[in-house]
Amino acid sequence: RQTIKLNPLMVQARLQLVNVLVKQGRKSDAVAELQDFIGSFPGNSFVPRAKQLLRSLQASPPAAHTN
């Protein structure tokens, strides 16, 4: 997140953040980041893949929380 705050145009860092959030089970944060990425960079070549991942995350059931 620090890299993105310093330079929000760093596309690779933003997509890596999405990957980390998904791996951490933070689906809602990943969805929000993808939506922001797609809205901020509509012409970027990674947008079709980002949209596909977004649809996949939105279609999947929420992760079960264990205590």
Side-chain angles (χ1 to χ4, degrees):
R1 288 196 187 271
Q2 289 177 333
T3 300
I4 294 168
K5 284 181 184 177
L6 293 173
N7 186 354
L9 299 179
M10 293 192 66
V11 171
Q12 279 187 301
R14 295 187 77 162
L15 295 176
Q16 287 296 340
L17 174 59
V18 169
N19 287 331
V20 169
L21 293 170
V22 169
K23 287 179 182 179
Q24 291 177 344
R26 297 171 54 190
K27 186 173 116 172
S28 62
D29 291 332
V31 166
E33 188 63 37
L34 280 169
Q35 290 171 329
D36 186 57
F37 170 76
I38 293 165
S40 297
F41 303 98
N44 187 281
S45 63
F46 288 105
V47 166
R49 175 68 180 116
K51 286 181 177 180
Q52 181 182 23
L53 179 56
L54 179 61
R55 284 190 300 271
S56 174
L57 288 172
Q58 290 173 326
S60 66
H65 294 285
T66 58
N67 291 339

